[in-house]
Amino acid sequence: MSTSVDTERTVSLTVNGVPREARVPVRRVLSDLLRDDLGLTGTHVGCAHGVCGSCTVLVDGDPVRSCLVLAVQVDGGAVTTVEGLARDDHQGGQVLHPVQEAFRECHALQCGYCTPGFLVTIAAGLEARDRSAEITEEEVDDLVGGNLCRCTGYANIKKAVRHAAAAMRDA
């Protein structure tokens, strides 16, 4: 008796609001699908073990380490990468997400390798909280605590979180 083993599957998902489809090996991780198959290189792979957070994307609105999730696991789902955080300004350009704007204004990056993971994680966290409430230092620590940065020392990243939270509150 012989058994058939699927080595490839077609994955259908929505990435940054756009329906996409790709035929991938069943062992391909989401970060490789995004970068290699779909050409979305904003998602960075730092450690490939889920420790650093550079590869964080949103899957159905929740932050996940894309280096740990198989592409076939998100079949039918919605993925938001760092490229999908900005919104269309209806004039041919884009408006940065408040977290992206805060990172720019607060100089919250240096080499930039960890930045996509921070942006996606912080954006999801700030979107999920009560915007009318003042953000606490504990919340700021929680939002940045799961991502690693070897350049900045976190001070300006935390400043950017507070800045973005205030901008979202006032919007």
Side-chain angles (χ1 to χ4, degrees), residues 58 60-63 80 84-87 95-100 118-133 135 139 143 161 164-169 171:
L58 303 180
D60 297 326
D62 295 322
T80 303
L85 290 181
R87 61 179 170 75
V95 176
L96 294 178
H97 187 282
V99 175
Q100 292 172 305
F118 273 109
L119 291 171
V120 171
T121 301
I122 294 165
L126 292 179
E127 296 283 349
R129 67 181 297 279
D130 176 6
R131 292 183 188 191
S132 66
I135 194 162
E139 286 178 290
L143 287 173
V161 172
M168 293 170 76
R169 182 185 65 236

Side-chain angles (χ1 to χ4, degrees), residues 10-115:
T10 299
V11 176
S12 299
L13 61 161
T14 301
V15 181
N16 300 328
V18 178
R20 303 293 297 261
E21 188 173 281
R23 184 114 179 117
V24 297
V26 294
R27 294 176 148 240
R28 172 146 311 147
V29 291
L30 179 57
S31 57
D32 290 345
L33 167 70
L34 294 169
R35 292 181 57 79
D36 301 336
D37 298 312
L38 302 182
L40 297 169
T41 57
T43 301
H44 294 164
V45 179
C47 67
H49 297 286
V51 176
C52 73
S54 294
C55 69
T56 303
V57 299
L58 303 180
V59 174
D60 297 326
D62 295 322
V64 300
R65 307 290 205 224
S66 65
C67 72
L68 296 180
V69 175
L70 295 174
V72 295
Q73 291 177 283
V74 298
D75 188 26
V79 176
T80 303
T81 68
V82 69
E83 292 96 337
L85 290 181
R87 61 179 170 75
D88 186 359
D89 70 359
H90 305 292
Q91 298 175 354
Q94 291 190 317
V95 176
L96 294 178
H97 187 282
V99 175
Q100 292 172 305
E101 187 63 33
F103 263 61
R104 187 187 64 77
E105 289 181 20
C106 297
H107 308 286
L109 62 115
Q110 285 184 20
C111 81
Y113 202 84
C114 64
T115 303

Side-chain angles (χ1 to χ4, degrees), residues 134-149:
E134 192 78 29
I135 194 162
T136 66
E137 286 306 307
E138 184 178 341
E139 286 178 290
V140 172
D141 289 344
D142 285 346
L143 287 173
V144 303
N147 291 62
L148 299 178
C149 175

